[in-house]
Amino acid sequence: MGAPLNWNVDGRNWPHRDQSRFVEVGGIRWHIQQMGSGPAVLLLHGTGASSHSWRDVMPRLADRFTVIAPDLPGHGFTTGRPRRGLTLPGMVAAIDDLCHNVSMEPCALVGHSAGAAIAMGWGRAHPSLPVIGFNPALIPFEGVARQLFPAMARLFFLNPFVSRLFAARARVPGETDRFLRKATGSAIDAAGLRCYETLFGNDVHCSGALQMMAGWDLDELERTFPTIANPVLLVHSAGDRAVGLSPVKRAAGALSNAELQMLGDLGHLAHEEAPDAAVEAIVDFLQSAAPKARGKRTRKPA
């Protein structure tokens, strides 16, 4: 296994570098980006990504909210592991520790893909908080893939050569762009692509993503859906190659207070492809579903 990402080298041109800080909580050294003022909105990225995933959403929300985006454990520039590992309960507990230790009281939770599952899991203990999930991965795979996918992820994680090979392949010019288009259906801008090239080219980050996938179990979360009282908005897009519309509809139907919104033919990284539309969905939902979370709207999202 190689070295983790180095903030002073790999992060020297990171989006919003001047808004970054590092916080040590429970054996984890968190990389956190924060900007804006007002009620706090917590943004949680998905598997294999980092806080950079919100690079264009954050400044558009920052004129009315304090926006906070951490790198999840095992990802990006955050180092260390939760006590319960990179499982869903482990991630939820780690976010809980982080919020308590930095005196952060979010008025809303926004998650992408697996980050939406973490937001849902943490939000259960705070039923008044709105939860917004972009291209949410909330339902276990169906059929044979339900058993096959976690087993393959565990196998890949246990073989250290897999993450090294993936990282080496990602360093081939153009390969990360091709992978993202094929796996997600999204075409993102050059700034985002450079960040993914940095992340995917590091075998420690790749290993963390594989470890998270290997330990991910959504069955228990799905069983709790009828008891989740939070106002929930699930945002999906027709071009998503990673998460189909059917499981998102199923999740929306099982949750007691959820609505589903579509963002056209965008891919799995819809919030990166169309940050204006993502911000509009967030703000409109918070204004309608959570009066206490309303920030002062000084201008239309740019």
Side-chain angles (χ1 to χ4, degrees):
M1 188 67 66
L5 291 165
N6 185 312
W7 180 242
N8 292 322
V9 178
D10 303 300
R12 61 186 181 276
N13 296 314
W14 211 247
H16 311 304
R17 179 182 168 90
D18 59 337
Q19 305 297 324
S20 287
R21 61 190 172 111
F22 288 84
V23 177
E24 301 229 11
V25 177
I28 299 173
R29 185 173 185 260
W30 293 86
H31 170 237
I32 300 173
Q33 293 199 323
Q34 179 174 330
M35 63 178 70
S37 60
V41 174
L42 180 62
L43 305 176
L44 302 175
H45 66 78
T47 309
S50 76
S51 54
H52 87 279
S53 180
W54 305 104
R55 65 194 175 281
D56 293 324
V57 169
M58 291 184 73
R60 288 165 165 80
L61 284 177
D63 65 341
R64 56 183 72 85
F65 298 105
T66 299
V67 190
I68 304 165
D71 288 353
L72 293 174
H75 292 71
F77 297 95
T78 290
T79 56
R81 294 290 190 268
R83 287 182 292 274
R84 300 174 70 179
L86 301 185
T87 61
L88 179 53
M91 290 292 201
V92 169
I95 290 294
D96 190 59
D97 285 347
L98 177 65
C99 289
H100 279 97
N101 280 275
V102 301
S103 301
M104 177 171 55
E105 297 182 3
C107 73
L109 309 172
V110 181
H112 169 248
S113 193
I118 299 170
M120 201 76 70
W122 193 80
R124 281 185 61 210
H126 310 272
S128 65
L129 290 184
V131 178
I132 302 171
F134 284 91
N135 302 83
L138 302 175
I139 297 287
F141 285 101
E142 298 178 343
V144 175
R146 190 181 187 115
Q147 287 78 36
L148 187 60
F149 180 78
M152 289 181 64
R154 282 192 290 270
L155 181 64
F156 289 158
F157 168 66
L158 290 172
N159 186 341
F161 291 107
V162 172
S163 56
R164 292 180 186 176
L165 287 171
F166 186 91
R169 182 68 180 267
R171 291 191 287 270
V172 175
E175 186 59 32
T176 296
D177 185 28
R178 286 189 289 271
F179 172 79
L180 287 175
R181 289 174 185 267
K182 183 176 180 179
T184 71
S186 291
I188 60 173
D189 62 13
L193 190 57
R194 284 194 296 271
C195 292
Y196 280 111
E197 288 172 342
T198 298
L199 295 172
F200 293 172
N202 181 268
D203 60 317
V204 174
H205 172 88
C206 293
S207 178
L210 284 171
Q211 185 179 358
M212 182 171 166
M213 287 189 288
W216 215 239
D217 182 358
L218 295 174
D219 289 287
E220 179 59 32
L221 178 64
E222 185 180 10
R223 284 191 286 270
T224 67
F225 281 175
T227 66
I228 293 177
N230 306 68
V232 175
L233 173 66
L234 302 182
V235 184
H236 199 58
S237 46
D240 190 337
R241 294 184 179 177
V243 176
L245 178 57
S246 176
V248 178
K249 284 184 174 180
R250 184 171 134 206
L255 291 161
S256 62
N257 187 17
E259 58 184 88
L260 173 61
Q261 178 178 336
M262 296 298 295
L263 282 185
D265 294 326
L266 300 170
H268 188 61
L269 305 177
H271 64 297
E272 297 192 47
E273 294 180 274
D276 287 338
V279 168
E280 184 176 3
I282 294 169
V283 172
D284 287 350
F285 183 68
L286 294 186
Q287 288 182 329
S288 64
K292 73 174 185 178
R294 293 175 186 168
K296 184 177 179 181
R297 190 162 188 167
T298 59
R299 62 176 173 84
K300 189 177 179 65

